[in-house]
Amino acid sequence: MTKEGAIMDLWSLLPSLLLLFTFSCASGIKIKPVVADEQLLWVGGQTEEVHTYRIPLITFTPQGSLLAFSEARKKSAKDIGAKFIALRRSTDRESLDDGLTWSPPRSLDSQLGVQSFAPGPGFGIQKRHPPAVGRLVVCGHGNIAGDGVFCLLSDDHGQTWRYGAELKSIPYKQPKNNLDLEPDECQPVELDDGSIVVNIRNNRNYHCRCRMVAHSLDGGESLPVEQLEFDRTLVDPAVAAGALQKDGVLYFTNPANNQSRVNFTLRWSLNRGKSWVKDTLKIWPGPSGYSCMTSLKGNGTEDQNYIYVVFEKGHTESIESISFVKVNLYSDQ
């Protein structure tokens, strides 16, 4: 290569290098999260209709409303039993009817069969970067017919669905013992390079009392075992956790304890989850459980500076209530 060619190549890379440098500096200096607001959305046992509220989910609508969901379990705190979906809706950001009314449910048995599939807990994603731009990806765990993590894919905005990636348990379709490989409840997140990272509950503490992390490089078609990692920084008591990618930063929430569901904590990574910043935000030291995060996608200050978290919170046990937390990511500004 000539000297002139080398200079031209350097100049062609300069914008990318400047962008990376600016982002790294901004991320490393400015991210200092604090809790800006908190309110209880649901408290179990306050009405005769609901014994316990569990499994929180939060998301946003294109019009800027925040929607928080939970399972309202009528008779007990158990997974099996009568329940309905509870919804709280924030309209502080101008909304008409987005999220107010819903169409009737539609059975997908003819497309997916009748085997048991438990999505999430958490949210599905729509791919924004190649490959498979626009694809809907919903990941969850199987039970009864087979356990492990499985993803459902739709390339026509949810009209039709098919099975995609899978990460099966070992031994598969057989009773499990402690320390067996049993991928369980999970949250997929698309990174800015187009890959999908799936943060997974390590249900039997295989290899460590920490989170499993699987990667898909083909838009959710596969989760190669060669890409499976165990993140020892993300200590975990086997629980459903929250994950969110915002402006190149990966965020994670869970009860940060390897034995008990306590010490609810927010962590963040500046390098796609390869490592985590040592600083953390401890949101609640007491009993805490499942969680979910979201953020708004607009260009306003509110959209850029905040993320929103819902999590199970209690004083004696983690399932007493579900709390909403607004986190200011840049408290020094």
Side-chain angles (χ1 to χ4, degrees):
M1 178 182 292
T2 65
K3 180 179 180 181
E4 290 78 6
I7 293 175
M8 288 299 294
D9 283 347
L10 180 60
W11 277 107
S12 66
L13 291 173
L14 187 58
S16 298
L17 293 173
L18 287 175
L19 180 62
L20 178 61
F21 176 76
T22 302
F23 169 73
S24 298
C25 290
S27 299
I29 296 173
K30 292 184 179 180
I31 294 182
K32 188 177 180 182
V34 297
V35 173
D37 184 33
E38 180 175 7
Q39 54 185 294
L40 292 182
L41 298 183
W42 295 281
V43 179
Q46 289 192 338
T47 70
E48 294 181 358
E49 293 185 357
V50 178
H51 181 280
T52 304
Y53 293 94
R54 284 217 59 201
I55 323 298
L57 167 67
I58 190 167
T59 189
F60 67 96
T61 70
Q63 298 300 319
S65 294
L66 288 173
L67 303 180
F69 300 85
S70 71
E71 286 186 14
R73 300 182 173 183
K74 301 188 72 172
K75 302 299 182 182
S76 74
K78 295 180 179 179
D79 291 344
I80 303 299
K83 66 188 72 173
F84 60 89
I85 296 175
L87 168 65
R88 295 291 299 271
R89 181 167 172 266
S90 171
T91 56
D92 296 342
R93 292 159 201 83
E94 294 186 4
S95 174
L96 297 176
D97 188 31
D98 57 321
L100 185 60
T101 59
W102 298 83
S103 64
R106 180 167 56 96
S107 174
L108 299 178
D109 288 356
S110 61
Q111 300 174 22
L112 300 174
V114 295
Q115 54 264 49
S116 179
F117 175 80
F123 52 82
I125 62 173
Q126 183 171 32
K127 292 282 279 99
R128 296 177 177 270
H129 308 287
V133 174
R135 171 176 291 170
L136 301 180
V137 181
V138 175
C139 297
H141 64 287
N143 51 42
I144 302 177
D147 45 11
V149 165
F150 305 89
C151 296
L152 307 180
L153 311 179
S154 175
D155 291 308
D156 55 10
H157 305 286
Q159 292 301 307
T160 60
W161 293 85
R162 60 183 175 86
Y163 284 99
E166 58 183 30
L167 180 64
K168 294 182 178 180
S169 62
I170 302 176
Y172 185 57
K173 290 188 178 181
Q174 299 178 43
K176 299 296 186 297
N177 296 313
N178 193 34
L179 305 182
D180 284 344
L181 176 63
E182 186 178 25
D184 201 77
E185 296 164 325
C186 61
Q187 176 62 69
V189 174
E190 183 183 21
L191 302 182
D192 50 11
D193 63 355
S195 65
I196 298 173
V197 59
V198 186
N199 197 290
I200 304 170
R201 171 176 173 166
N202 187 0
N203 203 42
R204 299 282 177 169
N205 301 313
Y206 177 80
H207 198 65
C208 66
R209 291 181 178 268
C210 66
R211 303 295 294 184
M212 293 185 190
V213 182
H215 299 265
S216 177
L217 307 180
D218 52 13
E221 299 283 358
S222 66
L223 290 171
V225 69
E226 295 84 0
Q227 298 288 337
L228 180 63
E229 300 173 351
F230 297 85
D231 195 328
R232 293 184 177 274
T233 301
L234 303 183
V235 294
D236 189 72
V239 69
L244 176 72
Q245 194 279 142
K246 179 177 176 64
D247 298 331
V249 181
L250 184 61
Y251 296 92
F252 175 81
T253 53
N254 79 328
N257 186 285
N258 63 8
Q259 299 289 336
S260 303
R261 294 184 178 182
V262 295
N263 191 33
F264 188 70
T265 300
L266 171 70
R267 299 180 186 271
W268 57 100
S269 171
L270 308 180
N271 56 8
R272 300 172 178 166
K274 295 178 181 177
S275 63
W276 298 87
V277 174
K278 291 184 179 180
D279 294 332
T280 63
L281 174 62
K282 293 185 178 181
I283 296 176
W284 174 245
S288 45
Y290 288 27
S291 61
C292 184
M293 286 185 283
T294 195
S295 67
L296 302 176
K297 298 297 184 182
N299 295 319
T301 301
E302 181 86 3
D303 304 339
Q304 296 176 348
N305 289 3
Y306 295 90
I307 60 175
Y308 307 92
V309 186
V310 288
F311 72 102
E312 296 174 337
K313 176 182 180 181
H315 293 272
T316 303
E317 54 181 340
S318 64
I319 59 175
E320 295 170 7
S321 66
I322 292 178
S323 184
F324 166 87
V325 173
K326 178 179 179 180
V327 177
N328 182 356
L329 299 175
Y330 309 106
S331 61
D332 284 344
Q333 291 186 346

